[in-house]
């Protein structure tokens, strides 16, 4: 073997050894000092962590830390909610058939009470026995009970029901001297995508269950048809029965109320939604304070900013809430806003879509001042606005006695009510707020939400005009009303 070949083999061996050391250095880092592992004690990571201390795991020991301290601290604040609803149901499919009623009488088809139960979860938010849950869990219930994690049961009353947020506040009936473990609220605005969260509830009635995951997305919309869509999305498993339960951070603080899931099977597929704690806190405080919830009313109608609209206005990207209509005398009008303005932020929080603007206002208190940034004529401007409550409820009228409209309760339409119903601010008329079941008005086909415009050619502009007109005894009624955005004209006998 020549000297050149030998030298080549030696060089190759030396390079191979060097490369081996380099490769070993990449896949097997040096052991971390014992002090760094000791600093990451389980309780410190799982309980005392704050949003300002976010960090990825740096060792195998940190990956093996447990959520048990958080679970032990939080689960006593989460309860099971059992809601019972009693409805009248006919025992015969022919009960509503006029032919059978005529020949066999109504007594033969007497309806019987039917009892149904729904299961959900709730979160104790005050030591006096105040619980926050979902509106859809207790809606229409005639009897509601809660069960705590230690097995005690308590009857509760609904003190506040808020369909707009799908939240309800319950209070324990006659709690005596019992002190309940209330959960602490976190600032949901401090959440970031990727943060660890735990979902606690009673899925499928199997008992209190804890699942873990991360925040998958923020400010999700299109989930439910309520007024304030601004959901936290998580992949922590949420199933039927979890509604109203707690979504907590690794500090054991409430960041959301579990509300809905996206699923084609009815079970969890890793897409769950929770109402942010900043919204839940407003509803909870109102319930604790006596059950009256008053929100700010800005007095504008808005729409999404599309790419075409952004280009026409000179906005660099499609974002914000475009003002399309302003109510006369509203806070928006007094602050100088105009149709065509694009709202960009509220108190520094960016507004990407109209639902975000509605959410930001709904989490502010009446009487507080906010800074609103908007875009007009190619420039961004900020203005301070003092938030006010919506105009007081309009005049109401309830009809009874010998009239086709008996059983009807109506309210004079005002700007805030018009916005709630999706009507122009300048709309006039009276809104049907309630129709008594089985009443003449019910038989005539009136429904809550109908906007009555005229009766027998007389324009109905307020509740008193409706009352005086409907008390008459004509041979027939020509009714003009709006329902679902469509105008109907009908004639019924007097």
């Amino acid at each position: 073997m020549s000297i050149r070949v030998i030298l080549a083999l030696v060089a190759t061996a030396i390079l191979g050894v060097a490369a081996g050391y380099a490769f070993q250095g990449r896949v097997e880092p040096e052991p971390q000092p014992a002090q760094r592992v000791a600093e990451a004690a389980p309780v410190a990571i799982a309980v005392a962590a704050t949003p300002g201390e976010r960090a990825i795991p740096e060792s195998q020991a940190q990956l093996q830390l447990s959520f048990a301290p958080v679970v032990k601290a939080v689960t006593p604040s989460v309860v099971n909610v059992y809601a019972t609803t009693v409805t009248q149901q006919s025992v015969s499919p022919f009960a509503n058939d006029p032919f059978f009623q005529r020949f066999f009488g109504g007594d033969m088809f007497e309806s019987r009470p039917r009892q149904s139960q729904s299961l959900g979860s709730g979160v104790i938010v005050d030591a006096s026995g105040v619980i926050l849950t979902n509106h859809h869990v207790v809606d229409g219930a005639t009897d509601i009970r809660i069960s705590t994690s230690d097995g005690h049961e308590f009857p509760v009353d609904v003190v506040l029901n808020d369909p707009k947020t799908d939240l309800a506040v319950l209070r324990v009936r006659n709690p005596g001297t019992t002190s309940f473990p209330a959960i602490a609220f976190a600032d949901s605005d401090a959440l970031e995508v990727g943060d660890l969260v735990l979902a606690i509830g009673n899925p499928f009635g199997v008992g209190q269950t804890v699942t873990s995951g991360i925040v998958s997305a923020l400010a999700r919309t299109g989930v439910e048809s309520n007024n304030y869509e601004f959901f936290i999305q998580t992949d922590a498993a949420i199933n039927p029965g979890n509604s109203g339960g707690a979504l907590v951070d690794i500090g054991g603080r409430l960041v959301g109320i579990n509300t809905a899931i996206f699923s084609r099977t009815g079970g969890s597929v890793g897409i769950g939604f929770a109402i942010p704690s900043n919204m839940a806190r407003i509803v909870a405080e109102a319930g604790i304070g006596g059950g009256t919830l008053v929100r700010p009313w800005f007095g504008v109608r808005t729409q999404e900013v599309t790419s075409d609209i952004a280009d026409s206005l000179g906005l660099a990207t499609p974002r914000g809430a475009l003002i399309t209509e302003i109510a006369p005398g509203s806070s928006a009008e007094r602050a100088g806003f105009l149709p065509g303005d694009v709202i960009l932020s509220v108190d520094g929080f960016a507004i990407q879509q109209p639902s975000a603007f509605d959410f930001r206002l709904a989490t502010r208190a009446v009487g507080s001042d906010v800074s609103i940034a908007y875009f007009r004529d190619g420039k961004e401007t900020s203005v301070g606005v003092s938030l006010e409550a919506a105009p007081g409820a309009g005049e109401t009228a309830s009809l009874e006695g010998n009239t086709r409209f008996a059983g009807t309760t109506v309210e004079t339409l005002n700007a805030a009510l018009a916005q709630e119903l999706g009507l122009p601010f300048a709309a006039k008329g009276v809104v049907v707020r309630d129709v008594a079941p089985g009443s003449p008005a019910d038989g005539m086909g009136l429904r809550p939400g109908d906007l009555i415009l005229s009766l027998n050619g007389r324009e109905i502009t307020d509740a008193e005009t409706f009352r005086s007109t409907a008390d008459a005894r004509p041979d027939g009624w020509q009714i003009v009303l709006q329902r679902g955005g469509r105008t109907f004209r009908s004639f019924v006998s007097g």
Side-chain angles (χ1 to χ4, degrees):
M1 182 180 295
S2 67
I3 295 177
R4 180 177 297 179
V5 172
I6 294 174
L7 291 175
L9 290 173
V10 171
T12 301
I14 294 173
L15 289 173
V17 172
Y21 278 115
F23 180 76
Q24 184 180 17
R26 285 198 298 269
V27 298
E28 294 183 12
E30 295 182 17
Q32 298 295 319
Q35 182 179 4
R36 294 194 67 178
V37 175
E39 287 176 353
V43 173
I45 292 293
V47 177
T50 64
E53 299 171 352
R54 292 182 179 90
I56 61 173
E58 296 181 353
S59 67
Q60 186 66 25
Q62 289 182 352
L63 289 173
Q64 294 175 345
L65 294 176
S66 173
F67 290 118
V70 181
V71 174
K72 289 178 182 178
V74 173
T75 50
S77 299
V78 183
V79 301
N80 300 335
V81 178
Y82 305 95
T84 302
T85 303
V86 178
T87 57
Q88 296 295 321
Q89 185 177 42
S90 176
V91 297
S92 171
F94 304 107
N96 296 322
D97 191 308
F99 174 83
F100 285 93
Q101 287 184 344
R102 178 180 177 185
F103 286 97
F104 296 100
D107 294 339
M108 180 178 178
F109 304 108
E110 183 178 355
S111 61
R112 296 179 182 177
R114 178 179 179 272
Q115 189 177 93
S116 60
Q117 290 188 331
S118 64
L119 174 69
S121 304
V123 184
I124 300 172
V125 294
D126 188 78
S128 64
V130 178
I131 298 97
L132 192 62
T133 187
N134 280 135
H135 159 75
H136 72 259
V137 171
V138 298
D139 185 30
T142 53
D143 180 70
I144 308 172
R145 305 181 69 84
I146 65 162
S147 174
T148 58
S149 60
D150 58 6
H152 289 89
E153 283 198 5
F154 299 90
V156 296
D157 297 314
V158 178
V159 295
L160 194 156
N161 224 343
D162 187 35
K164 291 183 177 181
T165 57
D166 193 19
L167 290 171
V169 181
L170 315 176
R171 184 182 290 276
V172 172
R173 195 181 304 159
N174 302 320
T177 58
T178 305
S179 179
F180 296 87
I183 199 168
F185 282 83
D187 179 7
S188 55
D189 286 332
L191 277 180
E192 295 182 7
V193 174
D195 283 351
L196 289 169
V197 288
L198 304 177
I200 307 174
N202 183 17
F204 298 109
V206 300
Q208 194 171 79
T209 302
V210 181
T211 57
S212 66
I214 64 169
V215 175
S216 305
L218 297 169
R220 281 294 193 217
T221 61
V223 178
E224 291 186 330
S225 58
N226 59 22
N227 293 58
Y228 303 107
E229 289 198 294
F230 202 79
F231 293 97
I232 301 166
Q233 182 182 327
T234 178
D235 66 349
I238 297 175
N239 288 287
N242 274 111
S243 289
L247 188 71
V248 301
D249 62 15
I250 58 174
R253 299 164 301 180
L254 186 72
V255 296
I257 298 294
N258 300 323
T259 298
I261 60 174
F262 177 84
S263 175
R264 300 186 187 279
T265 63
S268 174
V269 293
I271 304 177
F273 302 95
I275 299 169
S277 59
N278 286 359
M279 175 65 81
R281 182 193 292 113
I282 296 294
V283 178
E285 289 174 349
I288 295 170
T292 301
L293 181 61
V294 181
R295 291 191 175 94
W297 183 69
F298 194 55
V300 297
R301 203 181 304 277
T302 60
Q303 73 171 55
E304 184 179 357
V305 178
T306 64
S307 297
D308 290 341
I309 293 175
D311 290 341
S312 66
L313 295 176
L315 271 173
T317 58
R319 59 193 176 103
L322 175 65
I323 297 177
T324 59
E325 187 182 6
I326 298 178
S330 63
S331 300
E333 184 184 57
R334 287 195 296 273
F337 285 92
L338 299 173
D341 291 345
V342 179
I343 297 173
L344 300 178
S345 69
V346 175
D347 284 341
F349 292 101
I351 302 300
Q352 298 297 334
Q353 53 208 0
S355 60
F357 179 64
D358 295 338
F359 174 83
R360 290 300 170 193
L361 288 189
T363 55
R364 301 300 190 269
V366 172
S368 63
D369 294 327
V370 297
S371 176
I372 300 178
Y374 63 95
F375 185 84
R376 179 194 295 171
D377 296 333
K379 296 183 296 184
E380 183 175 331
T381 308
S382 295
V383 62
V385 179
S386 180
L387 298 180
E388 300 176 356
E395 179 188 9
T396 62
S398 298
L399 271 68
E400 299 176 353
N402 186 21
T403 170
R404 287 302 303 269
F405 296 92
T408 309
T409 299
V410 301
E411 179 180 349
T412 302
L413 188 67
N414 59 27
L417 184 55
Q419 183 172 17
E420 179 183 331
L421 298 174
L423 299 171
F425 288 125
K428 301 293 183 183
V430 295
V431 177
V432 177
R433 296 304 254 174
D434 185 54
V435 179
S439 65
D442 186 29
M444 190 168 54
L446 287 180
R447 302 177 189 173
D450 286 347
L451 177 65
I452 299 176
L453 302 176
S454 71
L455 296 176
N456 286 350
R458 183 180 183 184
E459 185 180 8
I460 303 299
T461 57
D462 54 57
E464 185 54 41
T465 302
F466 173 78
R467 184 202 304 273
S468 62
T469 305
D471 277 339
R473 302 290 186 272
D475 294 333
W477 290 101
Q478 185 179 3
I479 305 171
V480 181
L481 59 82
Q482 281 188 4
R483 176 185 296 168
R486 299 174 59 189
T487 300
F488 296 87
R489 291 173 173 83
S490 61
F491 184 87
V492 298
S493 61

